[in-house]
Amino acid sequence: MTAHPLVVDFLIPVLKIAAVILYPLVMVIVMIWMERRVVALIQGRLGPNRVGFEGILQPAADAFKLFFKEDIIPRQADRFLFNLSPVLVLVSSLLAFCFIPLGESFRIKGYTLTLWVAESPVGLLLVLGLSSIGVFGIIFGGWASNSKYPLMGALRSVVQILSYEIPLGMTVLTVIFFSRSIDLVAIVNHQKDARIWFGFLLPVSFVVFWISGIAETNRAPFDLPEAESELVAGYHTEYSGMKFAFFYIAEYAHMVLVSSLVVILFFGGWLPPFPNVAALAFLHRIPGFLWYLAKIMFFLYLYVWIRATLPRYRFDALIKLAWKWLIPLSALNLVAVAVLRYVL
Amino acid sequence: MTGLARFLKKFFLVDILRGLLITLRYYFSPKVTIQYPERVRELPPRYKGLLRLHLDAKGEPLCIACLACQRICPTHCFDIAGERVPQRKTLWPVRYDWKLERCTFCGLCVEICPTSAIRFSPEFRMTLLEKDKVRFHYPDMYLEGEELQKHLCGGCLE
């Protein structure tokens, strides 16, 4: 028995697209709440705990407030680019979620329901490309504001992204050597067949990818483009109201995206842990989506944890870290993994 | 430390991991924030809250309207008058106006008072809804606790 074609061809894709837009937004709310609470707890405070259960609705209340705030465009600003950049930032990070597999596909009444909107044979490239487009939004926003602090933030962002894309790309290559595919679903399936997650096989790649990922998302300790103690708010200084909210949401969505990528590339996506231990076979009963969720929650927590721990890098130290440590290290790692893969 | 050891320490992110452990310990440490309306911090005994007048054991005012506080007050908060009453050697206060909006809580009146009639109370809730209430008149100076709050803002905290 097959489902009605209207359901298969129209309803399910539309619902999936809606879910793919809503899922990052829900994660953003959870993430903002978690960040504020965890940082507060580490600093000996309590954090927002009044709105909703333990303050979980605080981000929603903040978004509601931002929704009604005045939308200010500076007189000297380039209006077109100024309006375009928040959209560009948000759309690029939301769009990349289309290619993120959230769980294994399962069959309902002869129809295979996949937990991803699009499976592309070049999914990894698309995700990396789309997440890099977000940088254009930052650059445009900083440039179009026609103000010194946003411009400084945008310039820093360009240099930072240029530096950290290189180790990011090279570490991704090592994963591709093992999976022999840049299809995200195939990468996860390869980890299932290999019975080992690439993170344990390629620890150097994972650490370099994670450090570069933090730098890509402009998070502490690499949050120089929006260093509030130096640049007011960096590239979004001149933004207010919903446009600011767009930048804010996009930043957190980007964090969710990078966490998802780390989980998929290095920690087996939706796969349960310990596939070899027979005693833990019951772990396979838990749906893959929940495993995926638990894993990305860990990495989102790690983001916050690192932010609460490490002070911001000075700019030359940041560039030095990229060019004198991460790039040589990832190049060596690339060669080593290539040789290893060839020998094996 | 040799160069190699320093290199290895950097390479394995030793200091960063150690820092992460420190913040993790603080994550579980007791918090300093006190959730105010539910829990009120215990105030120190010499806390300088609102000024209050006190009665003696017989229920008569300790204040003898000697105007010592009025004279010493650097911001002229007080306006006091007393009158003679029979069977009493000292004056009986009939007017004792205290202007909260002028008070700097310096405590000179408390120190100078010969009978300890005026003392600081631990009351820190000074929310007012009416401008007139910022002037305390004679009988108001004896109020305390919830009665004082009711006088100040008509129970707006509830």
Side-chain angles (χ1 to χ4, degrees):
Chain A
M1 186 188 121
T2 52
H4 194 274
L6 186 72
V7 173
V8 171
D9 294 334
F10 178 73
L11 202 59
I12 288 178
V14 165
L15 283 178
K16 268 201 232 174
I17 289 163
V20 146
I21 292 170
L22 280 178
Y23 153 72
L25 294 182
V26 170
M27 287 306 291
V28 163
I29 285 184
V30 171
M31 180 63 199
I32 292 174
W33 170 75
M34 188 172 83
E35 168 157 45
R36 294 185 57 181
R37 286 285 289 183
V38 168
V39 169
L41 290 172
I42 287 174
Q43 293 170 348
R45 301 179 285 120
L46 289 173
N49 62 352
R50 294 292 168 118
V51 192
F53 173 71
E54 287 291 308
I56 188 79
L57 291 177
Q58 186 67 48
D62 289 345
F64 191 70
K65 183 204 77 174
L66 284 173
F67 194 77
F68 288 103
K69 282 191 87 164
E70 188 187 355
D71 178 34
I72 298 165
I73 300 178
R75 200 184 301 149
Q76 305 288 320
D78 183 329
R79 292 181 74 93
F80 175 70
L81 283 183
F82 191 82
N83 290 329
L84 177 71
S85 64
V87 179
L88 205 58
V89 170
L90 187 62
V91 163
S92 64
S93 57
L94 289 188
L95 203 59
F97 278 97
C98 293
F99 305 102
I100 299 289
L102 302 180
E104 60 209 316
S105 51
F106 50 88
R107 298 183 69 79
I108 307 168
K109 292 184 178 177
Y111 174 76
T112 310
L113 184 70
T114 53
L115 287 184
W116 49 85
V117 169
E119 186 189 355
S120 163
V122 289
L124 184 54
L125 276 185
L126 280 170
V127 170
L128 289 178
L130 279 170
S131 70
S132 298
I133 284 179
V135 183
F136 283 101
I138 293 174
I139 297 167
F140 290 164
W143 179 256
S145 298
N146 205 348
S147 163
K148 57 188 167 186
Y149 295 121
L151 185 61
M152 289 292 289
L155 290 176
R156 287 179 174 197
S157 185
V158 177
V159 177
Q160 193 171 320
I161 299 295
L162 277 179
S163 303
Y164 281 89
E165 283 273 291
I166 302 166
L168 197 79
M170 283 204 274
T171 49
V172 162
L173 269 183
T174 59
V175 173
I176 296 166
F177 284 162
F178 274 91
S179 67
R180 303 215 158 148
S181 166
I182 46 175
D183 181 346
L184 288 170
V185 180
I187 288 172
V188 176
N189 280 332
H190 192 273
Q191 294 179 66
K192 193 179 183 180
D193 299 336
R195 298 194 149 242
I196 184 164
W197 295 347
F198 290 146
F200 300 112
L201 211 58
L202 310 161
V204 179
S205 299
F206 157 62
V207 174
V208 172
F209 185 90
W210 179 242
I211 293 172
S212 313
I214 295 174
E216 278 270 303
T217 43
N218 298 330
R219 289 288 303 175
F222 306 112
D223 56 348
L224 284 119
E226 45 191 299
E228 62 271 10
S229 47
E230 301 159 29
L231 298 180
V232 188
Y235 56 87
H236 55 56
T237 303
E238 302 289 348
Y239 284 87
S240 63
M242 250 352 239
K243 281 181 203 155
F244 168 72
F246 268 37
F247 275 119
Y248 203 67
I249 293 168
E251 187 190 326
Y252 283 84
H254 208 143
M255 283 157 70
V256 179
L257 181 71
V258 169
S259 301
S260 305
L261 267 186
V262 168
V263 165
I264 288 163
L265 292 179
F266 295 103
F267 290 93
W270 62 81
L271 303 175
F274 311 116
N276 297 320
V277 185
L280 292 171
F282 67 90
L283 291 177
H284 292 260
R285 296 237 192 95
I286 298 168
F289 177 67
L290 291 183
W291 281 120
Y292 161 80
L293 211 57
K295 287 175 193 171
I296 72 162
M297 282 317 284
F298 172 75
F299 282 101
L300 291 176
Y301 184 86
L302 197 58
Y303 256 120
V304 177
W305 191 5
I306 287 171
R307 186 201 143 176
T309 305
L310 299 174
R312 189 180 302 126
Y313 271 81
R314 209 175 56 213
F315 200 70
D316 61 326
L318 177 93
I319 299 303
K320 208 163 132 189
L321 177 72
W323 289 92
K324 291 181 88 172
W325 279 89
L326 293 183
I327 292 176
L329 186 63
S330 56
L332 273 179
N333 182 44
L334 181 72
V335 173
V337 170
V339 169
L340 194 76
R341 188 74 181 121
Y342 182 74
V343 172
L344 288 177
Chain B
M1 201 190 292
T2 60
L4 181 70
R6 208 159 52 227
F7 176 82
L8 287 176
K9 204 176 164 195
K10 254 185 182 175
F11 186 83
F12 288 105
L13 307 172
V14 172
D15 290 329
I16 288 175
L17 293 176
R18 203 179 281 163
L20 287 174
L21 281 181
I22 289 170
T23 41
L24 191 68
R25 206 168 62 227
Y26 274 99
Y27 182 85
F28 296 107
S29 66
K31 305 297 170 253
V32 290
T33 310
I34 293 169
Q35 295 283 290
Y36 166 61
E38 290 90 22
R39 273 187 57 209
V40 181
R41 206 182 76 178
E42 205 167 301
L43 293 168
R46 297 196 305 170
Y47 184 79
K48 290 178 171 183
L50 279 179
L51 285 170
R52 278 189 59 230
L53 282 180
H54 288 261
L55 299 168
D56 64 5
K58 286 182 285 180
E60 286 181 0
L62 276 171
C63 178
I64 52 171
C66 64
L67 308 193
C69 47
Q70 183 173 340
R71 272 197 296 270
I72 202 149
C73 184
T75 51
H76 307 295
C77 293
F78 296 101
D79 186 7
I80 302 165
E83 67 179 19
R84 293 228 164 264
V85 285
Q87 270 93 52
R88 199 177 148 117
K89 286 178 185 168
T90 54
L91 292 175
W92 186 281
V94 287
R95 190 171 76 238
Y96 198 103
D97 293 357
W98 175 56
K99 307 176 186 80
L100 170 59
E101 84 270 32
R102 299 183 74 124
C103 184
T104 59
F105 297 90
C106 65
L108 286 178
C109 49
V110 178
E111 275 180 46
I112 205 77
C113 185
T115 56
S116 294
I118 186 157
R119 292 172 221 162
F120 279 119
S121 71
E123 187 58 75
F124 57 89
R125 294 173 291 175
M126 302 183 197
T127 318
L128 300 150
L129 287 184
E130 289 163 51
K131 202 171 68 183
D132 310 342
K133 293 287 173 63
V134 85
R135 299 261 165 120
F136 281 71
H137 301 293
Y138 174 62
D140 310 338
M141 294 292 287
Y142 291 110
L143 297 174
E144 66 177 324
E146 291 313 308
E147 272 177 56
L148 179 64
Q149 288 306 315
K150 218 167 269 176
H151 169 73
L152 281 178
C153 65
C156 58
L157 281 176
E158 286 149 36

